[in-house]
Amino acid sequence: MDDDGIRPGRGSDGTRLNGRPRGRLADEVHETLLRQLMSSRIVPDSRLTIDALARELGVSQTPIRDALNRMEADGLVVRVPHAGYRIPPQITRERFDDMLEIRLLLEPAAARRAAQRATPSEVDELRRLLEEMAGLDEGDGPTAYGAFGLRDATFHDLVARTGGNQLVREALARLHTHVHLFRLVYDTQVTDLARGEHDEILAGIAARDPDRAAYAMRRHILLSGERFRPLFDGSPPPHPGLD
């Protein structure tokens, strides 16, 4: 599917396609499927088959299988014997609250450490990522929304990486918070609000101000919770400042 970053290729052995190594192509397929999950192009409880995805994305079955195996290990798809894979239901309110609690425990501390430890090159990397997120074309609708969700996850991972605690980084990665949250609703207001909050986190890190960075991260997580929590009550997400 060209608009999702993969173009039809040639070859059937799965080792190289479009001149790219198998591992790299599997990564691209994995990113494409995550983007489709977060933009609601793949809906909860739907069924996926390797053969259908290979035809749709114009690649061999091998990178599709590799990507789905990775997603199964992460709990993002469920293997159904003799029937391919299934997308699990949306997260529950209880799971959402548990994720929020863990994030509040770990991510402000990671941002604090990032402000203490960040090198100029790491600050530049965070800044480039936010610039890339700001440059996504909202005219692409759900495709851009899913792409923003992936980069949102990358931003938080970079903050944790910069903080230097690998166990914290791994714990946050296992939550796949951003995949689950962006699956809940397609709403570009979510991206607009998150951008400003990300800017505040980066400002604290760039200024080497641990308190400012930790506060900005905590505020971002709490506001994110306010945006998504009403969905579990059947209400639309609030739009602060637009009432």
Side-chain angles (χ1 to χ4, degrees):
M1 183 171 298
D2 293 357
D3 63 351
D4 280 323
I6 294 182
R7 297 179 180 178
R10 306 174 189 275
S12 59
D13 62 359
T15 56
R16 293 185 72 86
L17 207 64
N18 292 333
R20 289 167 291 182
R22 167 181 159 182
R24 180 180 170 190
L25 186 58
D27 287 343
E28 292 182 15
V29 170
H30 182 260
E31 180 174 329
T32 295
L33 294 179
L34 287 180
R35 190 184 302 126
Q36 291 188 0
L37 269 179
M38 287 188 279
S39 62
S40 299
R41 294 185 65 177
I42 299 178
V43 298
D45 290 318
S46 61
R47 180 169 167 257
L48 302 176
T49 65
I50 293 174
D51 183 59
L53 287 172
R55 289 196 305 270
E56 178 186 354
L57 299 181
V59 299
S60 72
Q61 293 189 6
T62 303
I64 300 290
R65 187 176 292 107
D66 290 345
L68 287 173
N69 285 342
R70 182 173 164 188
M71 293 175 71
E72 181 189 20
D74 290 339
L76 300 177
V77 300
V78 178
R79 189 193 300 267
V80 180
H82 312 297
Y85 295 80
R86 181 178 59 82
I87 301 299
Q90 301 282 27
I91 58 171
T92 63
R93 171 67 177 266
E94 181 180 11
R95 177 74 172 177
F96 171 83
D97 288 337
D98 287 347
M99 288 196 308
L100 194 68
E101 183 177 359
I102 292 175
R103 292 187 69 191
L104 287 170
L105 289 171
L106 297 181
E107 292 205 65
R112 176 180 296 277
R113 285 174 58 88
Q116 295 168 331
R117 300 165 57 96
T119 65
S121 63
E122 288 171 330
V123 171
D124 287 344
E125 187 176 5
L126 287 165
R127 184 172 290 114
R128 282 194 300 270
L129 180 60
L130 292 189
E131 289 172 353
E132 182 181 341
M133 293 166 76
L136 289 173
D137 185 0
E138 292 185 2
D140 288 340
T143 298
Y145 185 78
F148 182 93
L150 284 179
R151 287 158 180 81
D152 189 33
T154 300
F155 175 78
H156 284 263
D157 179 66
L158 284 176
V159 171
R161 188 191 74 186
T162 302
N165 189 319
Q166 185 61 25
L167 289 180
V168 168
R169 184 185 181 193
E170 291 172 0
L172 291 170
R174 282 194 296 270
L175 289 176
H176 295 286
T177 301
H178 301 81
V179 175
H180 294 303
L181 291 184
F182 276 79
R183 288 178 67 204
L184 288 171
V185 61
Y186 164 52
D187 188 343
T188 55
Q189 185 67 18
V190 168
T191 67
D192 293 337
L193 295 170
R195 284 190 183 105
E197 293 157 19
H198 289 161
D199 288 341
E200 287 299 315
I201 295 166
L202 175 58
I205 294 173
R208 305 190 70 81
D209 186 334
D211 289 342
R212 181 180 177 183
Y215 173 80
M217 180 64 82
R218 179 175 177 82
R219 179 174 179 272
H220 172 50
I221 294 168
L222 289 172
L223 290 174
S224 177
E226 291 178 9
R227 287 193 285 271
F228 288 104
R229 186 175 286 112
L231 296 168
F232 296 96
D233 304 320
S235 304
H239 290 170
L242 298 182
D243 296 4

mmCIF file of all heavy atoms in Angstrom, residues 49-93:
data_model
loop_
_atom_site.group_PDB
_atom_site.id
_atom_site.type_symbol
_atom_site.label_atom_id
_atom_site.label_comp_id
_atom_site.label_asym_id
_atom_site.label_seq_id
_atom_site.Cartn_x
_atom_site.Cartn_y
_atom_site.Cartn_z
ATOM 1 N N THR A 49 -4.931 -12.198 7.750
ATOM 2 C CA THR A 49 -4.279 -13.400 7.231
ATOM 3 C C THR A 49 -3.001 -12.976 6.512
ATOM 4 O O THR A 49 -2.933 -11.893 5.920
ATOM 5 C CB THR A 49 -5.177 -14.178 6.256
ATOM 6 O OG1 THR A 49 -5.412 -13.394 5.091
ATOM 7 C CG2 THR A 49 -6.501 -14.550 6.911
ATOM 8 N N ILE A 50 -2.009 -13.826 6.590
ATOM 9 C CA ILE A 50 -0.722 -13.528 5.967
ATOM 10 C C ILE A 50 -0.884 -13.352 4.464
ATOM 11 O O ILE A 50 -0.333 -12.424 3.873
ATOM 12 C CB ILE A 50 0.292 -14.640 6.297
ATOM 13 C CG1 ILE A 50 0.615 -14.617 7.793
ATOM 14 C CG2 ILE A 50 1.562 -14.485 5.468
ATOM 15 C CD1 ILE A 50 1.485 -15.763 8.256
ATOM 16 N N ASP A 51 -1.653 -14.217 3.843
ATOM 17 C CA ASP A 51 -1.811 -14.168 2.392
ATOM 18 C C ASP A 51 -2.472 -12.861 1.959
ATOM 19 O O ASP A 51 -2.025 -12.198 1.011
ATOM 20 C CB ASP A 51 -2.642 -15.362 1.930
ATOM 21 C CG ASP A 51 -2.785 -15.413 0.421
ATOM 22 O OD1 ASP A 51 -1.743 -15.485 -0.257
ATOM 23 O OD2 ASP A 51 -3.931 -15.362 -0.075
ATOM 24 N N ALA A 52 -3.537 -12.458 2.648
ATOM 25 C CA ALA A 52 -4.244 -11.229 2.277
ATOM 26 C C ALA A 52 -3.358 -10.000 2.484
ATOM 27 O O ALA A 52 -3.353 -9.084 1.655
ATOM 28 C CB ALA A 52 -5.529 -11.098 3.093
ATOM 29 N N LEU A 53 -2.610 -9.969 3.577
ATOM 30 C CA LEU A 53 -1.727 -8.835 3.828
ATOM 31 C C LEU A 53 -0.599 -8.775 2.808
ATOM 32 O O LEU A 53 -0.207 -7.689 2.365
ATOM 33 C CB LEU A 53 -1.152 -8.919 5.243
ATOM 34 C CG LEU A 53 -2.114 -8.598 6.388
ATOM 35 C CD1 LEU A 53 -1.464 -8.920 7.729
ATOM 36 C CD2 LEU A 53 -2.550 -7.143 6.341
ATOM 37 N N ALA A 54 -0.074 -9.933 2.430
ATOM 38 C CA ALA A 54 0.993 -9.953 1.423
ATOM 39 C C ALA A 54 0.491 -9.376 0.103
ATOM 40 O O ALA A 54 1.194 -8.605 -0.560
ATOM 41 C CB ALA A 54 1.507 -11.381 1.237
ATOM 42 N N ARG A 55 -0.739 -9.723 -0.281
ATOM 43 C CA ARG A 55 -1.304 -9.179 -1.521
ATOM 44 C C ARG A 55 -1.551 -7.687 -1.387
ATOM 45 O O ARG A 55 -1.275 -6.913 -2.303
ATOM 46 C CB ARG A 55 -2.608 -9.906 -1.866
ATOM 47 C CG ARG A 55 -2.429 -11.350 -2.342
ATOM 48 C CD ARG A 55 -3.699 -11.856 -3.036
ATOM 49 N NE ARG A 55 -4.869 -11.715 -2.195
ATOM 50 C CZ ARG A 55 -5.306 -12.641 -1.343
ATOM 51 N NH1 ARG A 55 -4.637 -13.785 -1.212
ATOM 52 N NH2 ARG A 55 -6.392 -12.447 -0.624
ATOM 53 N N GLU A 56 -2.084 -7.271 -0.259
ATOM 54 C CA GLU A 56 -2.415 -5.857 -0.066
ATOM 55 C C GLU A 56 -1.172 -4.972 -0.066
ATOM 56 O O GLU A 56 -1.171 -3.893 -0.672
ATOM 57 C CB GLU A 56 -3.151 -5.680 1.266
ATOM 58 C CG GLU A 56 -3.496 -4.229 1.583
ATOM 59 C CD GLU A 56 -4.099 -4.067 2.969
ATOM 60 O OE1 GLU A 56 -4.362 -5.095 3.635
ATOM 61 O OE2 GLU A 56 -4.284 -2.920 3.384
ATOM 62 N N LEU A 57 -0.116 -5.436 0.594
ATOM 63 C CA LEU A 57 1.085 -4.620 0.731
ATOM 64 C C LEU A 57 2.092 -4.855 -0.384
ATOM 65 O O LEU A 57 3.097 -4.156 -0.479
ATOM 66 C CB LEU A 57 1.747 -4.877 2.086
ATOM 67 C CG LEU A 57 0.891 -4.547 3.318
ATOM 68 C CD1 LEU A 57 1.659 -4.829 4.601
ATOM 69 C CD2 LEU A 57 0.426 -3.101 3.294
ATOM 70 N N GLY A 58 1.841 -5.855 -1.210
ATOM 71 C CA GLY A 58 2.716 -6.092 -2.344
ATOM 72 C C GLY A 58 4.084 -6.630 -1.965
ATOM 73 O O GLY A 58 5.093 -6.265 -2.584
ATOM 74 N N VAL A 59 4.136 -7.459 -0.926
ATOM 75 C CA VAL A 59 5.398 -8.061 -0.495
ATOM 76 C C VAL A 59 5.195 -9.563 -0.361
ATOM 77 O O VAL A 59 4.081 -10.079 -0.452
ATOM 78 C CB VAL A 59 5.870 -7.470 0.852
ATOM 79 C CG1 VAL A 59 6.106 -5.975 0.727
ATOM 80 C CG2 VAL A 59 4.865 -7.758 1.963
ATOM 81 N N SER A 60 6.295 -10.272 -0.139
ATOM 82 C CA SER A 60 6.189 -11.720 0.068
ATOM 83 C C SER A 60 5.607 -12.010 1.448
ATOM 84 O O SER A 60 5.478 -11.124 2.292
ATOM 85 C CB SER A 60 7.558 -12.378 -0.070
ATOM 86 O OG SER A 60 8.365 -12.053 1.038
ATOM 87 N N GLN A 61 5.279 -13.266 1.685
ATOM 88 C CA GLN A 61 4.671 -13.634 2.960
ATOM 89 C C GLN A 61 5.671 -13.600 4.115
ATOM 90 O O GLN A 61 5.278 -13.433 5.275
ATOM 91 C CB GLN A 61 4.048 -15.030 2.862
ATOM 92 C CG GLN A 61 2.852 -15.108 1.941
ATOM 93 C CD GLN A 61 2.141 -16.449 2.027
ATOM 94 O OE1 GLN A 61 2.476 -17.291 2.859
ATOM 95 N NE2 GLN A 61 1.159 -16.651 1.172
ATOM 96 N N THR A 62 6.955 -13.734 3.824
ATOM 97 C CA THR A 62 7.951 -13.843 4.889
ATOM 98 C C THR A 62 8.021 -12.601 5.767
ATOM 99 O O THR A 62 7.962 -12.723 7.000
ATOM 100 C CB THR A 62 9.333 -14.168 4.308
ATOM 101 O OG1 THR A 62 9.241 -15.372 3.552
ATOM 102 C CG2 THR A 62 10.361 -14.332 5.413
ATOM 103 N N PRO A 63 8.153 -11.396 5.224
ATOM 104 C CA PRO A 63 8.173 -10.228 6.115
ATOM 105 C C PRO A 63 6.846 -10.005 6.830
ATOM 106 O O PRO A 63 6.828 -9.483 7.950
ATOM 107 C CB PRO A 63 8.509 -9.068 5.180
ATOM 108 C CG PRO A 63 8.154 -9.534 3.816
ATOM 109 C CD PRO A 63 8.408 -11.005 3.814
ATOM 110 N N ILE A 64 5.737 -10.403 6.208
ATOM 111 C CA ILE A 64 4.444 -10.322 6.882
ATOM 112 C C ILE A 64 4.449 -11.235 8.100
ATOM 113 O O ILE A 64 4.052 -10.844 9.209
ATOM 114 C CB ILE A 64 3.293 -10.731 5.937
ATOM 115 C CG1 ILE A 64 3.232 -9.813 4.712
ATOM 116 C CG2 ILE A 64 1.968 -10.746 6.690
ATOM 117 C CD1 ILE A 64 2.772 -8.415 5.004
ATOM 118 N N ARG A 65 4.914 -12.456 7.910
ATOM 119 C CA ARG A 65 4.965 -13.419 9.013
ATOM 120 C C ARG A 65 5.885 -12.929 10.129
ATOM 121 O O ARG A 65 5.549 -13.014 11.318
ATOM 122 C CB ARG A 65 5.440 -14.783 8.485
ATOM 123 C CG ARG A 65 5.360 -15.904 9.519
ATOM 124 C CD ARG A 65 5.743 -17.241 8.906
ATOM 125 N NE ARG A 65 4.744 -17.687 7.934
ATOM 126 C CZ ARG A 65 4.930 -17.674 6.611
ATOM 127 N NH1 ARG A 65 6.073 -17.245 6.100
ATOM 128 N NH2 ARG A 65 3.983 -18.098 5.805
ATOM 129 N N ASP A 66 7.039 -12.380 9.746
ATOM 130 C CA ASP A 66 7.975 -11.864 10.747
ATOM 131 C C ASP A 66 7.328 -10.735 11.559
ATOM 132 O O ASP A 66 7.458 -10.680 12.793
ATOM 133 C CB ASP A 66 9.248 -11.340 10.077
ATOM 134 C CG ASP A 66 10.105 -12.447 9.495
ATOM 135 O OD1 ASP A 66 9.866 -13.627 9.845
ATOM 136 O OD2 ASP A 66 11.010 -12.144 8.704
ATOM 137 N N ALA A 67 6.657 -9.819 10.864
ATOM 138 C CA ALA A 67 6.032 -8.692 11.545
ATOM 139 C C ALA A 67 4.908 -9.155 12.466
ATOM 140 O O ALA A 67 4.775 -8.673 13.606
ATOM 141 C CB ALA A 67 5.502 -7.689 10.520
ATOM 142 N N LEU A 68 4.089 -10.086 12.012
ATOM 143 C CA LEU A 68 2.979 -10.567 12.839
ATOM 144 C C LEU A 68 3.482 -11.359 14.035
ATOM 145 O O LEU A 68 2.902 -11.283 15.131
ATOM 146 C CB LEU A 68 2.030 -11.420 11.993
ATOM 147 C CG LEU A 68 1.163 -10.645 10.997
ATOM 148 C CD1 LEU A 68 0.385 -11.602 10.102
ATOM 149 C CD2 LEU A 68 0.198 -9.697 11.722
ATOM 150 N N ASN A 69 4.559 -12.115 13.862
ATOM 151 C CA ASN A 69 5.134 -12.835 15.003
ATOM 152 C C ASN A 69 5.611 -11.851 16.070
ATOM 153 O O ASN A 69 5.442 -12.079 17.278
ATOM 154 C CB ASN A 69 6.297 -13.709 14.544
ATOM 155 C CG ASN A 69 5.840 -14.961 13.814
ATOM 156 O OD1 ASN A 69 4.672 -15.356 13.929
ATOM 157 N ND2 ASN A 69 6.731 -15.575 13.061
ATOM 158 N N ARG A 70 6.197 -10.756 15.615
ATOM 159 C CA ARG A 70 6.655 -9.725 16.552
ATOM 160 C C ARG A 70 5.475 -9.083 17.262
ATOM 161 O O ARG A 70 5.512 -8.842 18.484
ATOM 162 C CB ARG A 70 7.450 -8.683 15.764
ATOM 163 C CG ARG A 70 8.035 -7.561 16.574
ATOM 164 C CD ARG A 70 8.918 -6.733 15.643
ATOM 165 N NE ARG A 70 9.241 -5.438 16.197
ATOM 166 C CZ ARG A 70 9.863 -4.483 15.533
ATOM 167 N NH1 ARG A 70 10.243 -4.696 14.275
ATOM 168 N NH2 ARG A 70 10.130 -3.321 16.104
ATOM 169 N N MET A 71 4.413 -8.810 16.528
ATOM 170 C CA MET A 71 3.233 -8.207 17.137
ATOM 171 C C MET A 71 2.543 -9.177 18.092
ATOM 172 O O MET A 71 1.991 -8.757 19.116
ATOM 173 C CB MET A 71 2.266 -7.744 16.044
ATOM 174 C CG MET A 71 2.820 -6.589 15.211
ATOM 175 S SD MET A 71 1.741 -6.120 13.826
ATOM 176 C CE MET A 71 0.381 -5.365 14.715
ATOM 177 N N GLU A 72 2.583 -10.468 17.770
ATOM 178 C CA GLU A 72 2.003 -11.455 18.677
ATOM 179 C C GLU A 72 2.772 -11.483 19.992
ATOM 180 O O GLU A 72 2.176 -11.538 21.078
ATOM 181 C CB GLU A 72 2.016 -12.840 18.033
ATOM 182 C CG GLU A 72 1.399 -13.912 18.930
ATOM 183 C CD GLU A 72 1.601 -15.318 18.393
ATOM 184 O OE1 GLU A 72 2.510 -15.520 17.563
ATOM 185 O OE2 GLU A 72 0.867 -16.222 18.834
ATOM 186 N N ALA A 73 4.103 -11.437 19.916
ATOM 187 C CA ALA A 73 4.922 -11.427 21.126
ATOM 188 C C ALA A 73 4.635 -10.202 21.985
ATOM 189 O O ALA A 73 4.735 -10.261 23.220
ATOM 190 C CB ALA A 73 6.408 -11.478 20.753
ATOM 191 N N ASP A 74 4.257 -9.101 21.339
ATOM 192 C CA ASP A 74 3.944 -7.861 22.059
ATOM 193 C C ASP A 74 2.493 -7.798 22.513
ATOM 194 O O ASP A 74 2.079 -6.809 23.124
ATOM 195 C CB ASP A 74 4.237 -6.656 21.159
ATOM 196 C CG ASP A 74 5.726 -6.458 20.924
ATOM 197 O OD1 ASP A 74 6.528 -6.957 21.731
ATOM 198 O OD2 ASP A 74 6.083 -5.807 19.925
ATOM 199 N N GLY A 75 1.693 -8.814 22.191
ATOM 200 C CA GLY A 75 0.298 -8.825 22.596
ATOM 201 C C GLY A 75 -0.606 -7.945 21.765
ATOM 202 O O GLY A 75 -1.728 -7.632 22.181
ATOM 203 N N LEU A 76 -0.143 -7.538 20.569
ATOM 204 C CA LEU A 76 -0.936 -6.648 19.725
ATOM 205 C C LEU A 76 -1.801 -7.399 18.724
ATOM 206 O O LEU A 76 -2.718 -6.814 18.140
ATOM 207 C CB LEU A 76 -0.017 -5.664 18.998
ATOM 208 C CG LEU A 76 0.816 -4.767 19.922
ATOM 209 C CD1 LEU A 76 1.755 -3.885 19.106
ATOM 210 C CD2 LEU A 76 -0.074 -3.922 20.815
ATOM 211 N N VAL A 77 -1.497 -8.656 18.478
ATOM 212 C CA VAL A 77 -2.363 -9.541 17.702
ATOM 213 C C VAL A 77 -2.397 -10.887 18.408
ATOM 214 O O VAL A 77 -1.522 -11.202 19.224
ATOM 215 C CB VAL A 77 -1.882 -9.725 16.239
ATOM 216 C CG1 VAL A 77 -1.848 -8.406 15.494
ATOM 217 C CG2 VAL A 77 -0.529 -10.422 16.189
ATOM 218 N N VAL A 78 -3.404 -11.665 18.092
ATOM 219 C CA VAL A 78 -3.563 -12.995 18.681
ATOM 220 C C VAL A 78 -3.594 -14.013 17.553
ATOM 221 O O VAL A 78 -4.371 -13.859 16.594
ATOM 222 C CB VAL A 78 -4.862 -13.089 19.516
ATOM 223 C CG1 VAL A 78 -5.041 -14.488 20.069
ATOM 224 C CG2 VAL A 78 -4.844 -12.050 20.639
ATOM 225 N N ARG A 79 -2.772 -15.039 17.658
ATOM 226 C CA ARG A 79 -2.781 -16.092 16.635
ATOM 227 C C ARG A 79 -3.992 -16.996 16.845
ATOM 228 O O ARG A 79 -4.268 -17.460 17.962
ATOM 229 C CB ARG A 79 -1.509 -16.933 16.721
ATOM 230 C CG ARG A 79 -1.342 -17.903 15.549
ATOM 231 C CD ARG A 79 -0.245 -18.916 15.865
ATOM 232 N NE ARG A 79 1.030 -18.270 16.089
ATOM 233 C CZ ARG A 79 1.954 -18.062 15.143
ATOM 234 N NH1 ARG A 79 1.716 -18.465 13.914
ATOM 235 N NH2 ARG A 79 3.102 -17.491 15.449
ATOM 236 N N VAL A 80 -4.720 -17.242 15.763
ATOM 237 C CA VAL A 80 -5.876 -18.137 15.794
ATOM 238 C C VAL A 80 -5.512 -19.382 14.994
ATOM 239 O O VAL A 80 -5.223 -19.281 13.797
ATOM 240 C CB VAL A 80 -7.126 -17.465 15.180
ATOM 241 C CG1 VAL A 80 -8.316 -18.413 15.231
ATOM 242 C CG2 VAL A 80 -7.437 -16.156 15.902
ATOM 243 N N PRO A 81 -5.482 -20.568 15.623
ATOM 244 C CA PRO A 81 -5.074 -21.775 14.910
ATOM 245 C C PRO A 81 -5.850 -21.982 13.613
ATOM 246 O O PRO A 81 -7.075 -21.894 13.592
ATOM 247 C CB PRO A 81 -5.366 -22.889 15.925
ATOM 248 C CG PRO A 81 -5.272 -22.214 17.253
ATOM 249 C CD PRO A 81 -5.800 -20.830 17.032
ATOM 250 N N HIS A 82 -5.122 -22.163 12.529
ATOM 251 C CA HIS A 82 -5.688 -22.445 11.206
ATOM 252 C C HIS A 82 -6.546 -21.296 10.659
ATOM 253 O O HIS A 82 -7.319 -21.496 9.717
ATOM 254 C CB HIS A 82 -6.526 -23.732 11.229
ATOM 255 C CG HIS A 82 -5.842 -24.885 11.884
ATOM 256 N ND1 HIS A 82 -4.680 -25.442 11.389
ATOM 257 C CD2 HIS A 82 -6.133 -25.573 13.022
ATOM 258 C CE1 HIS A 82 -4.304 -26.429 12.170
ATOM 259 N NE2 HIS A 82 -5.151 -26.526 13.173
ATOM 260 N N ALA A 83 -6.440 -20.126 11.270
ATOM 261 C CA ALA A 83 -7.296 -19.020 10.803
ATOM 262 C C ALA A 83 -6.566 -17.686 10.786
ATOM 263 O O ALA A 83 -7.206 -16.641 10.716
ATOM 264 C CB ALA A 83 -8.547 -18.924 11.677
ATOM 265 N N GLY A 84 -5.258 -17.683 10.857
ATOM 266 C CA GLY A 84 -4.515 -16.438 10.790
ATOM 267 C C GLY A 84 -4.394 -15.761 12.146
ATOM 268 O O GLY A 84 -4.119 -16.405 13.160
ATOM 269 N N TYR A 85 -4.631 -14.458 12.162
ATOM 270 C CA TYR A 85 -4.476 -13.659 13.377
ATOM 271 C C TYR A 85 -5.716 -12.809 13.597
ATOM 272 O O TYR A 85 -6.460 -12.522 12.664
ATOM 273 C CB TYR A 85 -3.252 -12.733 13.263
ATOM 274 C CG TYR A 85 -1.933 -13.469 13.187
ATOM 275 C CD1 TYR A 85 -1.502 -14.033 11.988
ATOM 276 C CD2 TYR A 85 -1.124 -13.603 14.306
ATOM 277 C CE1 TYR A 85 -0.290 -14.712 11.912
ATOM 278 C CE2 TYR A 85 0.086 -14.269 14.240
ATOM 279 C CZ TYR A 85 0.494 -14.822 13.047
ATOM 280 O OH TYR A 85 1.696 -15.498 12.982
ATOM 281 N N ARG A 86 -5.907 -12.414 14.833
ATOM 282 C CA ARG A 86 -7.046 -11.568 15.190
ATOM 283 C C ARG A 86 -6.534 -10.353 15.963
ATOM 284 O O ARG A 86 -5.609 -10.448 16.775
ATOM 285 C CB ARG A 86 -8.051 -12.347 16.044
ATOM 286 C CG ARG A 86 -9.294 -11.559 16.446
ATOM 287 C CD ARG A 86 -10.251 -12.444 17.249
ATOM 288 N NE ARG A 86 -9.630 -12.974 18.446
ATOM 289 C CZ ARG A 86 -9.511 -12.296 19.588
ATOM 290 N NH1 ARG A 86 -9.962 -11.063 19.683
ATOM 291 N NH2 ARG A 86 -8.945 -12.858 20.639
ATOM 292 N N ILE A 87 -7.147 -9.207 15.704
ATOM 293 C CA ILE A 87 -6.834 -8.002 16.461
ATOM 294 C C ILE A 87 -7.620 -8.052 17.773
ATOM 295 O O ILE A 87 -8.841 -8.237 17.756
ATOM 296 C CB ILE A 87 -7.210 -6.728 15.676
ATOM 297 C CG1 ILE A 87 -6.467 -6.693 14.344
ATOM 298 C CG2 ILE A 87 -6.904 -5.482 16.497
ATOM 299 C CD1 ILE A 87 -4.962 -6.669 14.468
ATOM 300 N N PRO A 88 -6.962 -7.920 18.908
ATOM 301 C CA PRO A 88 -7.688 -8.000 20.182
ATOM 302 C C PRO A 88 -8.610 -6.804 20.378
ATOM 303 O O PRO A 88 -8.478 -5.783 19.706
ATOM 304 C CB PRO A 88 -6.561 -8.017 21.230
ATOM 305 C CG PRO A 88 -5.394 -7.379 20.553
ATOM 306 C CD PRO A 88 -5.516 -7.722 19.096
ATOM 307 N N PRO A 89 -9.549 -6.917 21.313
ATOM 308 C CA PRO A 89 -10.443 -5.785 21.606
ATOM 309 C C PRO A 89 -9.652 -4.600 22.158
ATOM 310 O O PRO A 89 -8.483 -4.713 22.520
ATOM 311 C CB PRO A 89 -11.398 -6.351 22.672
ATOM 312 C CG PRO A 89 -11.255 -7.837 22.579
ATOM 313 C CD PRO A 89 -9.858 -8.096 22.121
ATOM 314 N N GLN A 90 -10.331 -3.450 22.226
ATOM 315 C CA GLN A 90 -9.717 -2.288 22.844
ATOM 316 C C GLN A 90 -9.409 -2.576 24.311
ATOM 317 O O GLN A 90 -10.025 -3.431 24.948
ATOM 318 C CB GLN A 90 -10.665 -1.083 22.765
ATOM 319 C CG GLN A 90 -11.072 -0.689 21.370
ATOM 320 C CD GLN A 90 -9.972 0.095 20.641
ATOM 321 O OE1 GLN A 90 -8.800 -0.063 20.941
ATOM 322 N NE2 GLN A 90 -10.354 0.917 19.695
ATOM 323 N N ILE A 91 -8.462 -1.810 24.859
ATOM 324 C CA ILE A 91 -8.142 -1.983 26.268
ATOM 325 C C ILE A 91 -9.348 -1.601 27.125
ATOM 326 O O ILE A 91 -10.203 -0.812 26.722
ATOM 327 C CB ILE A 91 -6.928 -1.128 26.679
ATOM 328 C CG1 ILE A 91 -7.189 0.359 26.406
ATOM 329 C CG2 ILE A 91 -5.670 -1.605 26.001
ATOM 330 C CD1 ILE A 91 -6.118 1.272 26.989
ATOM 331 N N THR A 92 -9.405 -2.167 28.319
ATOM 332 C CA THR A 92 -10.485 -1.875 29.257
ATOM 333 C C THR A 92 -10.156 -0.618 30.071
ATOM 334 O O THR A 92 -9.014 -0.150 30.102
ATOM 335 C CB THR A 92 -10.689 -3.047 30.219
ATOM 336 O OG1 THR A 92 -9.482 -3.208 30.998
ATOM 337 C CG2 THR A 92 -10.977 -4.338 29.452
ATOM 338 N N ARG A 93 -11.147 -0.102 30.756
ATOM 339 C CA ARG A 93 -10.946 1.044 31.640
ATOM 340 C C ARG A 93 -9.922 0.697 32.718
ATOM 341 O O ARG A 93 -9.056 1.516 33.065
ATOM 342 C CB ARG A 93 -12.280 1.457 32.261
ATOM 343 C CG ARG A 93 -12.194 2.508 33.363
ATOM 344 C CD ARG A 93 -11.731 3.838 32.814
ATOM 345 N NE ARG A 93 -11.708 4.856 33.844
ATOM 346 C CZ ARG A 93 -12.714 5.694 34.089
ATOM 347 N NH1 ARG A 93 -13.848 5.604 33.400
ATOM 348 N NH2 ARG A 93 -12.609 6.616 35.025
#
